[in-house]
Amino acid sequence: MKGRVAARPALLPRLAAIFALALVGITCRDRDPMGPGLPSQAALAIAPRMERGAASGGPSFVSLRTVRGVLTPTNGGASYSADANFVNDTATLAFDVTFAGPTQRYTLTLAAIDTAGDTLFRSMREVTASPGTNAPVHDTLRYVAPDTAVSSIALALADTIVLGADTLRVSATGFDAKGQAVNPLYIGWSSRDTLAARVISSGPSTGKIIGGDLDALVWIVGRAFNGVADSLTVRIAARAASVVIAADTLRTIAGGAVNTSAVVLDRAGVQLDRAVVWAALDTTIAVVQPLLGSGAAAAGAVAAQLVTVTGVRAGTTRIVATSGTTADTSVVVVAPAPVAVVKIVPDSLAILVGDSARFGVVLLDARGDTLSRRAVSWTTADAKLATIDLTGGTVRGIAPGTVAITATSEGIVDTAWVRIAAQPLAIARTAVSPKTLRFLALGESSQLVAQSFAPDSSLAPGRYSWSVRGAAGVVSVDSLGRVVALGIGKAWVVATEQGGTADSADVSVDQLVQTVQLTPGVVRGTVGDTVRFSATLHSVTVAAGSSSSALIWLKATGAVGEMGDIVFARPGYGSFRARIRVVAGAQGVIALNPGR
């Protein structure tokens, strides 16, 4: 026993020494950087996902700019924040955190912000961080934008058609249950036929339709995040590669008409359903007008781009058919209308031996219109009795007798008679023919003829002096009755026989409008709208400044497919008829038919 007791005092110092060493060891570990009491470090990657819309085709939100995250320790302490930019709809946040202990729990709040600075998505959850690199955290952000209350949307297009490879703006307007506008409004766009057209977002509530190079009718859908949607159709039109007029050269006569057509082709040579705008480069030579009719024939003519080219005067010009930025031209050759009738005026004359007189001649085409500036050749059946000016129609008496005088123009012939007397006869009266002359342009000329009659009403030779009465400067007349138009107005030309009898002709000079050009040529609007036109009037005289303008008001009324004529006039310039047809889409097509 004593041995054991004696041993205890020796053990106590040893235990005290070991405890002291242990204390020293703890102190040294606290000073060691790798000691267990240091804070832990962790790396967190946060990759948020966007909540899917209520239905497919919802917004893609390509306008998202950044995602902002905040990590706050659940047991208190300083918060960590980080931002990351979106690439399309994807962004990843990186956090480097420090904490004491083996793990740390944090509250994570996320906000997705668009380019306008508005917060569209939010989320909140808890995450646990462990020392080192942690597995990525995927959180779903819920949609919290103001348009969650939208109950209806309405789409609108900037136009109704988009050409291949061109773009067209589409926009949406949203309303809540009370009909109040919702703003901002975020719309996702889709096309029912992506080959014909694609649609991409160009703003919160706007999209851009990109047309394919083909003809199609495409449904475009706009959908809000909560599934509210609207749709509309847009016409996609392949870009025209060429316009082809049926004939390279068209030939007609003045006053005549010829029809032609044009087609619009794509790059593959396939015909497109496109409108063609026609124009004549010189409307004093030819005018081009839609081939107007009624019923199915008219609809077919419009679809086939049929037009009528009408010759106005002899000459050469071109017509142009244009569709978009492509065009084609054809040469139009207008020949003079052929002479169909030659009429010598008068059909008989009486002159004295040694005297002269001049015949007049009227040339008509097949429609009965008077022709001018045509060559006329004259012949006499017996030059021993009377001679005739070969081109002017002036006859001179050589010897008493009766002789036939012939006028020929373009192979058409007429005959008149001349009686040559040796002695004058008593004259009871004198008559001038024609009784009226109307000139349609300055510089035109015409022949007046005086005839005298004996008391028994037989033709008697006379000798005449010609004069002009009334307004000065309107016309002039020569010694044989040739009248020339000098200025606009009215006058009287008097033939006085040397015996005292006299007669006169009423002469007027005007500038008849031969063509009228309306601007615009195509009217767009609602049936019943009043449209203001500008008309340019072209007269016969071809000279600088020979046109004038007037303002005409036409009113398009009637149902689709109906046609009507509106006649308008400018005093002293003739009357003109404007034809308007109302077609689908309330489009009026104006065609002019100049009249006298």
Side-chain angles (χ1 to χ4, degrees):
M1 294 294 294
K2 289 183 181 179
R4 292 181 180 177
V5 173
R8 286 180 179 175
L11 179 62
L12 291 173
R14 292 179 60 188
L15 291 174
I18 292 171
F19 183 72
L21 290 173
L23 291 175
V24 172
I26 291 173
T27 304
C28 291
R29 287 181 180 272
D30 285 344
R31 293 178 182 179
D32 188 345
M34 300 302 294
L38 288 178
S40 298
Q41 293 182 341
L44 289 175
I46 312 298
R49 299 187 180 97
M50 304 297 111
E51 179 185 26
R52 290 181 59 83
S56 62
S60 62
F61 295 107
V62 294
S63 62
L64 289 176
R65 183 180 61 190
T66 58
V67 60
R68 180 168 299 156
V70 178
L71 280 174
T72 304
T74 56
N75 56 0
S79 298
Y80 297 87
S81 64
D83 289 351
N85 292 328
F86 276 99
V87 177
N88 294 327
D89 292 342
T90 303
T92 301
L93 293 167
F95 288 93
D96 291 321
V97 297
T98 303
F99 53 86
T103 60
Q104 175 65 51
R105 296 186 62 80
Y106 292 93
T107 299
L108 171 65
T109 59
L110 296 175
I113 302 168
D114 71 355
T115 54
D118 295 324
T119 298
L120 304 187
F121 293 83
R122 288 185 185 277
S123 72
M124 178 182 291
R125 59 167 294 177
E126 288 191 353
V127 297
T128 300
S130 300
T133 300
N134 289 251
V137 176
H138 298 286
D139 192 19
T140 300
L141 279 71
R142 297 179 302 278
Y143 188 64
V144 295
D147 61 348
T148 52
V150 67
S151 61
S152 65
I153 63 174
L155 304 186
L157 289 171
D159 201 347
T160 58
I161 186 171
V162 56
L163 294 177
D166 281 353
T167 61
L168 179 65
R169 183 177 181 271
V170 59
S171 60
T173 304
F175 304 93
D176 61 18
K178 296 181 180 180
Q180 300 296 316
V182 175
N183 189 44
L185 175 67
Y186 296 92
I187 295 295
W189 302 97
S190 62
S191 167
R192 296 285 178 86
D193 185 348
T194 55
L195 291 178
R198 296 182 298 112
V199 57
I200 60 175
S201 177
S202 60
S205 59
T206 59
K208 184 185 296 183
I209 300 171
I210 304 172
D213 201 9
L214 53 83
D215 276 4
L217 196 64
V218 181
W219 283 93
I220 300 298
V221 180
R223 195 181 304 274
F225 188 83
N226 61 2
V228 175
D230 189 22
S231 61
L232 46 71
T233 58
V234 60
R235 183 184 175 194
I236 309 301
R239 187 175 294 277
S242 61
V243 177
V244 180
I245 299 177
D248 291 333
T249 302
L250 299 171
R251 297 182 183 277
T252 186
I253 61 174
V258 61
N259 295 336
T260 191
S261 62
V263 293
V264 182
L265 305 176
D266 64 12
R267 289 178 296 179
V270 177
Q271 183 173 341
L272 301 174
D273 182 15
R274 294 289 183 277
V276 173
V277 178
W278 294 84
L281 298 185
D282 188 343
T283 56
T284 67
I285 295 176
V287 293
V288 57
Q289 301 167 333
L291 183 61
L292 298 181
S294 60
V302 172
Q305 304 295 350
L306 294 177
V307 292
T308 298
V309 180
T310 304
V312 177
R313 64 176 176 88
T316 300
T317 185
R318 284 182 177 269
I319 58 171
V320 182
T322 304
S323 180
T325 58
T326 61
D328 191 22
T329 66
S330 286
V331 175
V332 179
V333 179
V334 181
V339 174
V341 176
V342 174
K343 184 179 180 182
I344 300 175
V345 180
D347 58 5
S348 61
L349 279 176
I351 60 175
L352 293 171
V353 173
D355 284 352
S356 297
R358 185 185 293 130
F359 280 106
V361 64
V362 176
L363 306 179
L364 305 176
D365 63 15
R367 300 188 307 170
D369 291 338
T370 301
L371 303 175
S372 60
R373 299 181 178 88
R374 303 300 174 87
V376 179
S377 61
W378 298 84
T379 59
T380 176
D382 189 348
K384 295 179 180 179
L385 297 179
T387 60
I388 186 79
D389 180 3
L390 296 180
T391 59
T394 301
V395 62
R396 178 177 177 82
I398 304 299
T402 300
V403 65
I405 299 297
T406 301
T408 304
S409 181
E410 298 179 12
I412 308 300
V413 179
D414 191 27
T415 300
W417 298 89
V418 177
R419 184 165 64 86
I420 302 99
Q423 299 293 329
L425 301 175
I427 294 177
R429 63 184 180 89
T430 293
V432 171
S433 62
K435 294 299 296 180
T436 61
L437 285 179
R438 184 187 180 195
F439 294 109
L440 305 180
L442 305 183
E444 285 189 343
S445 63
S446 187
Q447 181 67 44
L448 291 177
V449 178
Q451 293 173 296
S452 294
F453 300 89
D456 61 0
S457 296
S458 62
L459 197 61
R463 291 173 174 166
Y464 312 97
S465 60
W466 295 86
S467 61
V468 177
R469 298 180 185 176
V474 175
V475 294
S476 65
V477 63
D478 68 8
S479 60
L480 294 180
R482 175 81 69 187
V483 181
V484 179
L486 302 179
I488 296 175
K490 294 180 179 295
W492 291 267
V493 177
V494 180
T496 304
E497 205 279 324
Q498 67 178 6
T501 59
D503 193 21
S504 65
D506 185 6
V507 182
S508 63
V509 179
D510 204 348
Q511 288 279 77
L512 178 67
V513 176
Q514 292 295 296
T515 60
V516 177
Q517 184 177 3
L518 280 186
T519 304
V522 176
V523 182
R524 299 181 186 273
T526 303
V527 175
D529 285 353
T530 300
V531 182
R532 189 177 187 180
F533 291 89
S534 174
T536 302
L537 314 177
H538 298 276
S539 66
V540 176
T541 302
V542 181
S546 62
S547 63
S548 59
S549 62
L551 292 178
I552 297 94
W553 285 262
L554 303 179
K555 191 166 186 178
T557 59
V560 170
E562 183 177 328
M563 291 181 58
D565 289 341
I566 300 95
V567 178
F568 59 95
R570 181 178 171 89
Y573 288 84
S575 62
F576 304 89
R577 177 164 295 169
R579 173 166 288 188
I580 184 167
R581 178 159 53 84
V582 180
V583 298
Q587 180 186 53
V589 180
I590 299 297
L592 292 177
N593 299 313
R596 297 182 180 181

